[in-house]
Structures are given as structure tokens and as C-alpha cells.
Amino acid sequence: MTVVEYSGKGLREDNQDYVKSCSLPKEGATICVVADGMGGYSYGSEAAKTVAEAIVDYVEENCSRQKPATLLKGAFSFANESLCLKKIALGAREMGCVVAVLLMLGETAYLAWLGDSRIYIYRDQRELFRTTDHSMTEELSRIKPLSAADYERYSHIVTRSIMGDDEDVTPSLAKCELFPGDRLLLCTDGLYRQISIPALMGESPQTLKSTLDAYSNTTEDNYSCILLQV
């Protein structure tokens, strides 16, 4: 299995994305996290890092004694508590983060997410699965067809996130059995809104970083991802 991490700030002053992947104490287990600090709130980069590190720490500590769904739900709750403490330490009024998590156990992928960071699964160069955004446009599209103006107005409004408060942070969950050659991509909205996902999934892990570097002077937002090839 090959794992490649990438995080670029694009034309923004700061990078408020954070990516992390690592092997776990449980044999054949890997955790990948992509977090995106929410614009308009304080300390976006700190929020993303705090949430991602808390999720990894919780999964590392508990992966051998909890079932995957329980483990991931617990990790999100722990991340929320950690962000609450970070807010107090920084004296911040509001901090927020959206996050996508992949837990690999052998040949099974367990996915968990809140917000509009996404996870894609490709097989034989075709999209097999994509997470559903927790966003205003996603909810509105279930009610009526959206115009270009609607997308422009609502595209960056998320309906679920981790804010370090009392709101429910139970993630959406999914499970997928994988086969050799399958590819999984975790990414922030700054990546999939600006870069072709099918084209990116056609890249080899060895050329991915150089390909993404080429976008550094053209992307208006931070753009980050983790690519995993089984």
C-alpha cells in the first residue's frame, strides 16, 4: 500500500488545511485524516491541526479494543473536546473545522466525515464511491434544481462541522471492501473545486506531488489531499 500526503496554500496568505497519515499499532491498520479550518473563524490552521491530531491520537490508543464505527465516533467526540480546550487556551470565541477520515483495516476501508471535505474511491479509473457533502448546496439540491447563482451564493456554507461546542459531532460513516489497485483520495474543497479529480486519480503516486505543485500559482484556495493506493 502506498500513501502520499500533500498540502498547498495556493494563493492564500496562510494554509489552514492539515493532513496526517500513519500506521497503527493494530496489524494492517492505517489512519488518514484531512482537515480544513473554517474560514471566517479564528485560528483556522490551529483548529485543523488540533482536530486531526486528536483523531489520530484517539484511534492509535483505542484501535485494538473498539469496533471501527465506535472507534471513529469516539475519535470525533474526542476531537471536539480537544478543540474546546484549544479555544479556551487561545482565548478564541469561535474555531471550526471540517474533516474527512479513512481507517484502513486490512482490505476494508472505514470512512467518516463532517462537512465538505471529501473521500473518493476509484477502481479501474472509474469513480466507485464519493462522500456526500454536509453543505447548504447539497441540502438545497434535494429540494429544487440549483442555478449557477445558487451555487455561487451557498457553495461555501457547511451544515455540519467540529466547533468545540455542544453540537452533535457524530460523523457520517461508510464502509467499502477494497481490491489491489484501488485508489482512495481524501481532499479539501479547495482541491476538488479547482482541480480535476479524474485527472488527478490518473496520476501515479510518484508524480502526484510535482503535478500538484504546478497548481501553486493558480489555485485561489488552500488545496490538500492524501492519496492511498492499495
Side-chain angles (χ1 to χ4, degrees), residues 14-57:
D14 302 307
N15 189 348
Q16 297 189 7
D17 294 346
Y18 190 82
V19 302
K20 183 166 184 175
S21 61
C22 64
S23 298
L24 298 171
K26 188 172 183 177
E27 184 177 356
T30 300
I31 182 77
C32 300
V33 183
V34 168
D36 183 357
M38 293 171 63
Y41 296 111
S42 304
Y43 301 103
S45 59
E46 286 288 339
K49 182 178 180 180
T50 298
V51 166
E53 293 284 355
I55 289 173
V56 171
D57 288 347

Short mmCIF file of all heavy atoms in Angstrom, two decimals, residues 14-57:
data_model
loop_
_atom_site.label_atom_id
_atom_site.label_comp_id
_atom_site.label_asym_id
_atom_site.label_seq_id
_atom_site.Cartn_x
_atom_site.Cartn_y
_atom_site.Cartn_z
N ASP A 14 -2.20 32.12 4.20
CA ASP A 14 -1.92 31.04 5.14
C ASP A 14 -2.54 29.74 4.65
O ASP A 14 -3.51 29.75 3.87
CB ASP A 14 -2.49 31.37 6.52
CG ASP A 14 -1.93 32.66 7.09
OD1 ASP A 14 -0.69 32.79 7.14
OD2 ASP A 14 -2.73 33.54 7.45
N ASN A 15 -1.99 28.64 5.13
CA ASN A 15 -2.56 27.33 4.84
C ASN A 15 -3.33 26.86 6.08
O ASN A 15 -2.74 26.58 7.12
CB ASN A 15 -1.46 26.33 4.49
CG ASN A 15 -2.01 25.03 3.97
OD1 ASN A 15 -3.21 24.76 4.07
ND2 ASN A 15 -1.16 24.20 3.40
N GLN A 16 -4.65 26.79 5.95
CA GLN A 16 -5.49 26.35 7.06
C GLN A 16 -5.93 24.90 6.92
O GLN A 16 -6.83 24.45 7.62
CB GLN A 16 -6.70 27.27 7.19
CG GLN A 16 -6.32 28.70 7.52
CD GLN A 16 -7.50 29.59 7.85
OE1 GLN A 16 -8.63 29.14 7.99
NE2 GLN A 16 -7.23 30.87 8.00
N ASP A 17 -5.29 24.17 5.99
CA ASP A 17 -5.51 22.72 5.87
C ASP A 17 -4.45 21.99 6.68
O ASP A 17 -3.36 22.52 6.94
CB ASP A 17 -5.39 22.27 4.41
CG ASP A 17 -6.48 22.83 3.51
OD1 ASP A 17 -7.48 23.35 4.04
OD2 ASP A 17 -6.33 22.74 2.28
N TYR A 18 -4.77 20.74 7.04
CA TYR A 18 -3.81 19.91 7.75
C TYR A 18 -4.06 18.46 7.36
O TYR A 18 -5.21 18.00 7.35
CB TYR A 18 -3.98 20.06 9.27
CG TYR A 18 -2.87 19.42 10.07
CD1 TYR A 18 -1.66 20.08 10.28
CD2 TYR A 18 -3.04 18.16 10.63
CE1 TYR A 18 -0.65 19.50 11.02
CE2 TYR A 18 -2.03 17.58 11.38
CZ TYR A 18 -0.84 18.25 11.57
OH TYR A 18 0.17 17.66 12.32
N VAL A 19 -3.01 17.76 7.00
CA VAL A 19 -3.13 16.35 6.60
C VAL A 19 -2.19 15.50 7.44
O VAL A 19 -1.09 15.94 7.81
CB VAL A 19 -2.83 16.14 5.10
CG1 VAL A 19 -3.76 16.98 4.23
CG2 VAL A 19 -1.37 16.47 4.77
N LYS A 20 -2.63 14.28 7.75
CA LYS A 20 -1.79 13.37 8.51
C LYS A 20 -2.19 11.93 8.23
O LYS A 20 -3.38 11.61 8.16
CB LYS A 20 -1.90 13.65 10.01
CG LYS A 20 -0.97 12.75 10.85
CD LYS A 20 -0.81 13.22 12.27
CE LYS A 20 0.19 12.35 13.02
NZ LYS A 20 0.45 12.86 14.39
N SER A 21 -1.20 11.07 8.07
CA SER A 21 -1.45 9.64 7.92
C SER A 21 -0.36 8.88 8.67
O SER A 21 0.78 9.34 8.76
CB SER A 21 -1.43 9.23 6.44
OG SER A 21 -0.18 9.50 5.85
N CYS A 22 -0.71 7.72 9.23
CA CYS A 22 0.28 6.92 9.92
C CYS A 22 -0.24 5.50 10.11
O CYS A 22 -1.45 5.24 10.07
CB CYS A 22 0.65 7.53 11.27
SG CYS A 22 -0.69 7.60 12.46
N SER A 23 0.70 4.58 10.30
CA SER A 23 0.36 3.20 10.62
C SER A 23 -0.07 3.13 12.08
O SER A 23 0.36 3.94 12.90
CB SER A 23 1.56 2.29 10.38
OG SER A 23 1.94 2.31 9.02
N LEU A 24 -0.92 2.15 12.39
CA LEU A 24 -1.44 1.99 13.74
C LEU A 24 -0.87 0.75 14.42
O LEU A 24 -0.35 -0.14 13.73
CB LEU A 24 -2.97 1.90 13.69
CG LEU A 24 -3.68 3.13 13.13
CD1 LEU A 24 -5.16 2.83 12.91
CD2 LEU A 24 -3.50 4.33 14.07
N PRO A 25 -0.97 0.68 15.74
CA PRO A 25 -0.44 -0.49 16.45
C PRO A 25 -1.10 -1.80 16.00
O PRO A 25 -0.46 -2.86 16.06
CB PRO A 25 -0.78 -0.19 17.91
CG PRO A 25 -0.88 1.29 17.99
CD PRO A 25 -1.45 1.71 16.67
N LYS A 26 -2.33 -1.75 15.56
CA LYS A 26 -3.02 -2.95 15.09
C LYS A 26 -2.48 -3.36 13.73
O LYS A 26 -2.35 -2.53 12.82
CB LYS A 26 -4.52 -2.69 15.00
CG LYS A 26 -5.36 -3.92 14.72
CD LYS A 26 -6.83 -3.59 14.85
CE LYS A 26 -7.70 -4.82 14.65
NZ LYS A 26 -9.15 -4.52 14.84
N GLU A 27 -2.17 -4.62 13.53
CA GLU A 27 -1.55 -5.08 12.29
C GLU A 27 -2.44 -4.80 11.09
O GLU A 27 -3.64 -5.03 11.11
CB GLU A 27 -1.28 -6.59 12.37
CG GLU A 27 -0.54 -7.14 11.15
CD GLU A 27 -0.23 -8.61 11.28
OE1 GLU A 27 -0.51 -9.20 12.35
OE2 GLU A 27 0.28 -9.19 10.31
N GLY A 28 -1.83 -4.26 10.02
CA GLY A 28 -2.56 -3.97 8.80
C GLY A 28 -3.47 -2.77 8.89
O GLY A 28 -4.37 -2.62 8.05
N ALA A 29 -3.26 -1.90 9.87
CA ALA A 29 -4.15 -0.75 10.08
C ALA A 29 -3.43 0.56 9.79
O ALA A 29 -2.27 0.75 10.16
CB ALA A 29 -4.68 -0.75 11.51
N THR A 30 -4.15 1.47 9.12
CA THR A 30 -3.63 2.80 8.78
C THR A 30 -4.73 3.82 9.00
O THR A 30 -5.90 3.54 8.72
CB THR A 30 -3.17 2.85 7.31
OG1 THR A 30 -2.14 1.88 7.10
CG2 THR A 30 -2.65 4.23 6.94
N ILE A 31 -4.36 5.00 9.47
CA ILE A 31 -5.30 6.09 9.64
C ILE A 31 -4.86 7.28 8.78
O ILE A 31 -3.67 7.60 8.72
CB ILE A 31 -5.43 6.53 11.12
CG1 ILE A 31 -6.47 7.64 11.30
CG2 ILE A 31 -4.09 6.96 11.68
CD1 ILE A 31 -7.87 7.19 11.27
N CYS A 32 -5.80 7.89 8.05
CA CYS A 32 -5.53 9.08 7.24
C CYS A 32 -6.56 10.14 7.59
O CYS A 32 -7.76 9.84 7.66
CB CYS A 32 -5.62 8.75 5.75
SG CYS A 32 -4.46 7.50 5.16
N VAL A 33 -6.11 11.37 7.77
CA VAL A 33 -7.01 12.47 8.13
C VAL A 33 -6.68 13.70 7.30
O VAL A 33 -5.52 14.09 7.18
CB VAL A 33 -6.89 12.83 9.63
CG1 VAL A 33 -7.90 13.92 9.99
CG2 VAL A 33 -7.09 11.62 10.51
N VAL A 34 -7.72 14.31 6.73
CA VAL A 34 -7.60 15.60 6.05
C VAL A 34 -8.56 16.56 6.74
O VAL A 34 -9.76 16.29 6.82
CB VAL A 34 -7.94 15.48 4.56
CG1 VAL A 34 -8.10 16.86 3.94
CG2 VAL A 34 -6.85 14.72 3.82
N ALA A 35 -8.04 17.66 7.27
CA ALA A 35 -8.85 18.63 7.99
C ALA A 35 -8.70 20.01 7.37
O ALA A 35 -7.62 20.37 6.89
CB ALA A 35 -8.44 18.67 9.47
N ASP A 36 -9.77 20.78 7.41
CA ASP A 36 -9.80 22.10 6.79
C ASP A 36 -10.38 23.09 7.79
O ASP A 36 -11.56 23.01 8.14
CB ASP A 36 -10.67 22.04 5.52
CG ASP A 36 -10.70 23.35 4.75
OD1 ASP A 36 -10.11 24.34 5.22
OD2 ASP A 36 -11.33 23.38 3.67
N GLY A 37 -9.54 24.01 8.27
CA GLY A 37 -10.00 25.05 9.18
C GLY A 37 -11.02 25.94 8.50
O GLY A 37 -10.84 26.33 7.34
N MET A 38 -12.09 26.29 9.19
CA MET A 38 -13.19 27.02 8.58
C MET A 38 -12.89 28.51 8.48
O MET A 38 -12.52 29.15 9.46
CB MET A 38 -14.47 26.79 9.38
CG MET A 38 -14.97 25.36 9.31
SD MET A 38 -16.33 25.00 10.44
CE MET A 38 -17.60 26.11 9.78
N GLY A 39 -13.05 29.03 7.27
CA GLY A 39 -12.85 30.45 7.04
C GLY A 39 -13.87 31.29 7.80
O GLY A 39 -15.00 30.87 8.01
N GLY A 40 -13.45 32.45 8.23
CA GLY A 40 -14.34 33.33 8.97
C GLY A 40 -14.26 33.16 10.48
O GLY A 40 -14.81 33.96 11.24
N TYR A 41 -13.57 32.11 10.92
CA TYR A 41 -13.39 31.89 12.35
C TYR A 41 -11.91 32.06 12.71
O TYR A 41 -11.04 32.10 11.84
CB TYR A 41 -13.85 30.49 12.75
CG TYR A 41 -15.34 30.27 12.56
CD1 TYR A 41 -15.81 29.41 11.58
CD2 TYR A 41 -16.26 30.92 13.35
CE1 TYR A 41 -17.17 29.22 11.39
CE2 TYR A 41 -17.62 30.74 13.18
CZ TYR A 41 -18.07 29.88 12.19
OH TYR A 41 -19.41 29.68 12.01
N SER A 42 -11.63 32.10 14.00
CA SER A 42 -10.26 32.33 14.46
C SER A 42 -9.40 31.08 14.33
O SER A 42 -9.90 29.96 14.43
CB SER A 42 -10.28 32.77 15.93
OG SER A 42 -11.07 33.91 16.12
N TYR A 43 -8.11 31.29 14.10
CA TYR A 43 -7.11 30.23 14.20
C TYR A 43 -7.49 28.98 13.38
O TYR A 43 -7.50 27.87 13.89
CB TYR A 43 -6.91 29.82 15.66
CG TYR A 43 -6.48 30.94 16.58
CD1 TYR A 43 -7.40 31.54 17.43
CD2 TYR A 43 -5.16 31.38 16.59
CE1 TYR A 43 -7.02 32.57 18.29
CE2 TYR A 43 -4.77 32.41 17.44
CZ TYR A 43 -5.69 33.00 18.29
OH TYR A 43 -5.31 34.02 19.13
N GLY A 44 -7.77 29.18 12.09
CA GLY A 44 -8.17 28.06 11.25
C GLY A 44 -7.14 26.96 11.18
O GLY A 44 -7.48 25.77 11.24
N SER A 45 -5.87 27.33 11.06
CA SER A 45 -4.82 26.31 10.98
C SER A 45 -4.69 25.54 12.28
O SER A 45 -4.47 24.32 12.28
CB SER A 45 -3.48 26.96 10.61
OG SER A 45 -3.11 27.93 11.57
N GLU A 46 -4.86 26.23 13.41
CA GLU A 46 -4.81 25.57 14.71
C GLU A 46 -5.99 24.62 14.89
O GLU A 46 -5.85 23.53 15.45
CB GLU A 46 -4.81 26.60 15.84
CG GLU A 46 -3.50 27.35 16.00
CD GLU A 46 -2.41 26.47 16.59
OE1 GLU A 46 -2.72 25.45 17.23
OE2 GLU A 46 -1.23 26.81 16.39
N ALA A 47 -7.16 25.02 14.41
CA ALA A 47 -8.34 24.16 14.50
C ALA A 47 -8.12 22.87 13.72
O ALA A 47 -8.40 21.77 14.21
CB ALA A 47 -9.57 24.90 14.00
N ALA A 48 -7.63 23.00 12.49
CA ALA A 48 -7.41 21.82 11.65
C ALA A 48 -6.38 20.88 12.27
O ALA A 48 -6.59 19.66 12.31
CB ALA A 48 -6.96 22.25 10.26
N LYS A 49 -5.28 21.43 12.75
CA LYS A 49 -4.24 20.60 13.36
C LYS A 49 -4.74 19.94 14.63
O LYS A 49 -4.49 18.74 14.85
CB LYS A 49 -3.00 21.44 13.66
CG LYS A 49 -1.86 20.63 14.26
CD LYS A 49 -0.62 21.50 14.50
CE LYS A 49 0.50 20.66 15.09
NZ LYS A 49 1.73 21.48 15.34
N THR A 50 -5.43 20.69 15.47
CA THR A 50 -5.93 20.14 16.73
C THR A 50 -6.87 18.97 16.49
O THR A 50 -6.75 17.92 17.13
CB THR A 50 -6.65 21.24 17.54
OG1 THR A 50 -5.72 22.28 17.85
CG2 THR A 50 -7.24 20.68 18.82
N VAL A 51 -7.80 19.14 15.57
CA VAL A 51 -8.78 18.09 15.27
C VAL A 51 -8.10 16.87 14.68
O VAL A 51 -8.36 15.73 15.10
CB VAL A 51 -9.87 18.64 14.33
CG1 VAL A 51 -10.70 17.50 13.74
CG2 VAL A 51 -10.77 19.61 15.08
N ALA A 52 -7.23 17.07 13.70
CA ALA A 52 -6.58 15.93 13.05
C ALA A 52 -5.71 15.15 14.03
O ALA A 52 -5.75 13.90 14.06
CB ALA A 52 -5.74 16.42 11.87
N GLU A 53 -4.92 15.85 14.82
CA GLU A 53 -4.03 15.17 15.77
C GLU A 53 -4.84 14.43 16.84
O GLU A 53 -4.47 13.32 17.26
CB GLU A 53 -3.09 16.19 16.43
CG GLU A 53 -2.08 16.83 15.49
CD GLU A 53 -0.94 15.89 15.12
OE1 GLU A 53 -0.87 14.78 15.68
OE2 GLU A 53 -0.11 16.28 14.28
N ALA A 54 -5.95 15.02 17.28
CA ALA A 54 -6.78 14.37 18.29
C ALA A 54 -7.39 13.09 17.75
O ALA A 54 -7.45 12.07 18.46
CB ALA A 54 -7.86 15.33 18.77
N ILE A 55 -7.86 13.12 16.51
CA ILE A 55 -8.44 11.92 15.91
C ILE A 55 -7.40 10.81 15.81
O ILE A 55 -7.66 9.65 16.16
CB ILE A 55 -9.05 12.25 14.53
CG1 ILE A 55 -10.32 13.09 14.71
CG2 ILE A 55 -9.34 10.97 13.74
CD1 ILE A 55 -10.90 13.62 13.42
N VAL A 56 -6.22 11.15 15.33
CA VAL A 56 -5.15 10.15 15.22
C VAL A 56 -4.79 9.60 16.59
O VAL A 56 -4.64 8.39 16.77
CB VAL A 56 -3.92 10.75 14.51
CG1 VAL A 56 -2.73 9.79 14.59
CG2 VAL A 56 -4.24 11.05 13.05
N ASP A 57 -4.63 10.47 17.57
CA ASP A 57 -4.26 10.02 18.92
C ASP A 57 -5.30 9.06 19.49
O ASP A 57 -4.96 8.02 20.08
CB ASP A 57 -4.11 11.23 19.85
CG ASP A 57 -2.87 12.05 19.56
OD1 ASP A 57 -2.00 11.57 18.81
OD2 ASP A 57 -2.78 13.19 20.07
#
